[in-house]
Amino acid sequence: MEKYDVVVIGAGPAGLTAGIYAGRARLRTLVLEGMMPGGQVVVTSHIENYPGVGPTTGTELIAEMSEQMASFGAELKTAPATSIESRGDSFVVSAGSDTFETRSVIVATGTAYKKLGVPGEEEFLGRGVSYCATCDGPFYKDLEIAVVGGGDSALQEALYLTTFATKIYLIHRRDEFRAVPILRERVRENEKIECFCSCVVERINGAGGVESIDLKNVKTGEQMTHPVAGVFLFVGLEPKTEFLGGIVDTAPDGFILTDNDMKTNVRGILAAGDCRSKLLRQISTAVGDGATAAFAAQCLVEDDQW
Ligand code: NAP
């Protein structure tokens, strides 16, 4: 079994930053990337708030971070981790049939978009229902579509989708959007976006693909069916922490609990980035987490300090 000082699970901004710092600290470092290299950020259409960089795309940013990490000697392997097992002073990280022994583990697995849980969502996935505007937006050229959600993701991706669609119906369950004011301003000023506030999607309808959605106004009780060719869902994030099987403490919503040094309750296991329970999920905060976690791993490996 191959031995490492640190195995980083996840190759988004947090994991790659941990890889850069651990590589520069000359730790034997392995970064495992999952089925979606780069994590959530690669499906982000537009990045304009990562200081000193941009505007850029997630794909470009991740390519640069990966190259930078490789230059410091950290290994990158496509192998989604399936478990972490404690073995005295070390851990065994399994990724399918591969196993790796390591002194420390940094969990940086990020998040996935939540499901809305309405009839038609599963049925029309890939046939009109999408969680990725950058992947599927071009299919909706000159068509009318719906975007569901009121956070940064929904508003940012609705704006991006105006590049293709003729009309975007932005459906939000409350009267107020939680997205940052600059995105709210842009949405307000964009003639292609029409907001349906205080409305929920009750059903997604179609035959071969999506044809319409059933909406309900939660204030008036009014119900309507609205024709659309596609529905993009951005109703929040859930952590990719199931594979941990409860080895570290998590909050009730599944996000990993850490202290300020990114340490979990298990000596040797750290967490960084969006999978961690924290106030703000941004590339800039993920990068800070990754650097801190790598330094904490270095203190453990070199000086036995935890
Ligand atoms: P979010 O902030 O959790 O927003 C989720 C939205 O979906 C909320 O408006 C919520 O409504 C709505 N929602 C949740 N469950 C729903 C349901 N069952 N039915 C209908 N609507 C539902 O998620 P996000 O927008 O994906 O953002 C996640 C994190 O990533 C945030 O920290 C965000 O700042 C960050 N992010 C940042 C950027 C950026 O900096 N440019 C871009 C994307 C994401 P309520 O408001 O009523 O709760």
Side-chain angles (χ1 to χ4, degrees), residues 58-103:
T59 318
E60 280 171 36
L61 188 65
I62 288 297
E64 299 224 356
M65 285 183 176
S66 303
E67 207 173 299
Q68 195 177 359
M69 186 181 80
S71 76
F72 294 120
E75 259 179 70
L76 181 66
K77 190 174 169 74
T78 304
T82 43
S83 68
I84 304 172
E85 201 185 307
S86 179
R87 297 243 177 112
D89 268 359
S90 66
F91 299 93
V92 173
V93 176
S94 299
S97 54
D98 293 326
T99 50
F100 312 97
E101 189 179 335
T102 180
R103 287 287 312 282

